[in-house]
Amino acid sequence: MAQKFRKIGVLTSGGDAPGMSAAVRAVTRAANARGVQVMGIIGGYRGMIHDEMIELTNREVSNKIMLSGTFLYSDRCLEFKEEEGMQKAIATLKKHDIDGVIAIGGDGTFRGATDLSVRGIPTIGVPGTIDNDITASDNTIGFDTAMTTVIENVDRLRDTCESHARLNVVEVMGRGAGDITLNTAIASGAVAAVIPEAPFDEEACINKVIRLRREGKRGFLIIVSEAFPTLGEELAKKITAITKDLAEKEGNDRLWVESKFCRLAHTVRGGSPTLSDRLLATKMGVRAVDELLAGNSDLIVVERAGEITTCGIRWSQVLDRMYKGTLKPGMTDEYTAEQLAEMEAFIAEKKETFRKTYAMLNELAD
Ligand code: F6P
């Protein structure tokens, strides 16, 4: 028979993401509705170690659905990675009679969730990260808002690019995943996207800019992933220099494409969550409560083809590695040939969708 849950904890950890607060609200309301008390753990796993928590009643989470950041605060807690830190955290949970935990964050947060699960604390993960780098889920909480924020900023850059016939290279966050970069490049009509998932042909990109300038195009945008920390600024300088030389050589100053660089950095993480992120956060938060109360653990909630479902944390970690090509020997030994084939098919489909999207950008960027 499933364990009876009386009190659960919820935390947000890792880089904050718009919609995390909405997810905490959903967890609170869903648990309270099922007669389960909720403790909000302050500042991620650090709050668990240092016994910092507040009770979350339904009133406590009023007016939180639209909040930016996370009202429970967040942290990347190194102390929790050590056994001593974990044991302190578990002692805090026991002291408060907390029967299970819902951990909202990215892959680092899920490693913490597994650490708790294997030490006897049922834990469910909810993907909250702007990067959309949880391969098992089509979407993560915060991704839509981050893209919307990029677009708002890039549209402003476009205005001034067009007025001055300039180019702007914009660097956006996303860690090792090009999802934000690629989607916002398409949605802003950029001439190119530089992403970790595909090789970048710099010469072809510069030649395209020159050709389009000859055809009369005034403003240009190029979106670059932060995975290439120096590329964006250098590219802007290079285009400026190459087109200046060309303009001088041909005696046609209109060929000069003065290029600026802009790093959006943490602006991409702020702001009130979009409708999509509020809905996703709400659905995932409720599902996490249902899973925990049903006696499940070491799972994450994911979205696939619009449906909310779950998968094992280990499964999701292996999928991430398969996707990035960073699998190490032995990592897939626990899976049957059938399961591996299922994973490989999933990855192949995801990569194909990404490839088509990238090809679409290049076809339309003219
Ligand atoms: O994972 C979210 C993220 O914003 C990444 O896009 C970025 O690389 C990283 O966090 C930045 O981390 P920090 O806020 O610790 O500088």
Side-chain angles (χ1 to χ4, degrees):
M1 203 180 91
Q3 177 190 346
K4 170 97 182 98
F5 285 82
R6 292 186 183 83
K7 199 194 273 186
I8 63 169
V10 59
L11 61 83
T12 52
S13 159
D16 62 351
M20 278 182 160
S21 292
V24 173
R25 168 195 180 267
V27 166
T28 303
R29 293 266 169 98
N32 285 340
R34 291 154 180 75
V36 176
Q37 207 183 337
V38 181
M39 298 302 286
I41 299 162
I42 308 293
Y45 293 108
R46 183 178 301 282
M48 202 182 266
I49 294 173
H50 297 286
D51 193 2
E52 290 167 18
M53 49 184 83
I54 48 165
E55 186 180 348
L56 296 178
T57 60
N58 282 355
R59 289 289 60 75
E60 192 68 40
V61 296
S62 276
N63 292 319
K64 300 286 191 274
I65 197 162
M66 71 307 177
L67 286 190
S68 53
T70 159
F71 78 97
L72 281 184
Y73 308 137
S74 193
D75 196 18
R76 301 188 197 277
C77 179
L78 297 177
E79 216 181 335
F80 189 76
K81 291 189 173 154
E82 306 297 327
E83 187 61 36
E84 197 186 335
M86 282 178 223
Q87 289 306 331
K88 277 193 201 162
I90 289 170
T92 310
L93 296 177
K94 296 223 159 114
K95 176 178 151 196
H96 290 278
D97 297 319
I98 291 175
D99 309 306
V101 171
I102 292 175
I104 305 162
D107 52 356
T109 306
F110 300 153
R111 279 193 291 277
T114 293
D115 289 334
L116 289 176
S117 294
V118 298
R119 285 167 182 77
I121 308 288
T123 304
I124 303 287
V126 174
T129 165
I130 61 162
D131 300 337
N132 204 37
D133 59 353
I134 305 300
T135 312
S137 191
D138 293 346
N139 281 301
T140 57
I141 298 164
F143 173 51
D144 186 64
T145 310
M147 291 192 294
T148 304
T149 304
V150 170
I151 286 302
E152 282 167 9
N153 282 288
V154 168
D155 279 349
R156 286 175 172 77
L157 291 170
R158 175 213 310 285
D159 296 341
T160 167
C161 270
E162 193 64 22
S163 304
H164 290 268
R166 284 178 179 156
L167 180 148
N168 220 305
V169 181
V170 187
E171 185 196 282
V172 299
M173 274 192 172
R175 208 181 283 273
D179 297 45
I180 296 179
T181 308
L182 179 57
N183 286 321
T184 57
I186 289 173
S188 61
V191 281
V194 186
I195 53 172
E197 294 84 351
F200 175 55
D201 187 341
E202 187 182 83
E203 200 186 332
C205 173
I206 297 175
N207 287 340
K208 184 184 244 184
V209 168
I210 293 170
R211 175 175 63 78
L212 293 173
R213 173 50 62 89
R214 285 191 196 281
E215 289 173 9
K217 187 170 171 68
R218 288 180 62 83
F220 297 86
L221 293 160
I222 296 175
I223 316 292
V224 177
S225 153
E226 67 165 349
F228 306 97
T230 55
L231 188 148
E233 199 159 8
E234 281 165 10
L235 183 62
K237 283 188 190 147
K238 207 178 260 185
I239 296 173
T240 302
I242 290 174
T243 56
K244 194 160 202 248
D245 284 351
L246 186 72
E248 278 166 13
K249 203 171 122 206
E250 295 194 16
N252 177 3
D253 65 1
R254 287 182 183 221
L255 290 180
W256 184 38
V257 183
E258 190 186 0
S259 304
K260 306 278 180 185
F261 172 70
C262 171
R263 176 174 287 128
L264 293 180
H266 290 77
T267 55
V268 173
R269 282 225 312 248
S272 182
T274 57
L275 176 137
S276 295
D277 273 332
R278 293 181 202 195
L279 283 179
L280 186 66
T282 302
K283 289 178 191 169
M284 285 185 160
V286 172
R287 179 65 180 257
V289 170
D290 285 341
E291 293 295 329
L292 195 59
L293 301 196
N296 294 321
S297 182
D298 211 15
L299 298 178
I300 57 168
V301 178
V302 295
E303 189 196 51
R304 295 250 179 90
E307 295 294 319
I308 302 296
T309 177
T310 61
C311 72
I313 292 185
R314 173 83 189 143
W315 177 277
S316 110
Q317 287 163 341
V318 171
L319 273 184
D320 284 343
R321 283 185 170 270
M322 263 188 182
Y323 189 68
K324 293 181 201 142
T326 57
L327 271 180
K328 290 194 184 133
M331 277 183 167
T332 55
D333 288 357
E334 68 206 84
Y335 300 109
T336 61
E338 205 178 18
Q339 285 173 319
L340 278 177
E342 190 193 321
M343 285 166 144
E344 275 156 12
F346 181 83
I347 297 294
E349 195 186 324
K350 197 147 183 153
K351 285 199 167 173
E352 179 59 8
T353 306
F354 208 91
R355 192 198 60 74
K356 279 189 187 151
T357 313
Y358 186 63
M360 185 174 75
L361 165 80
N362 289 322
E363 191 184 4
L364 297 187
D366 202 47

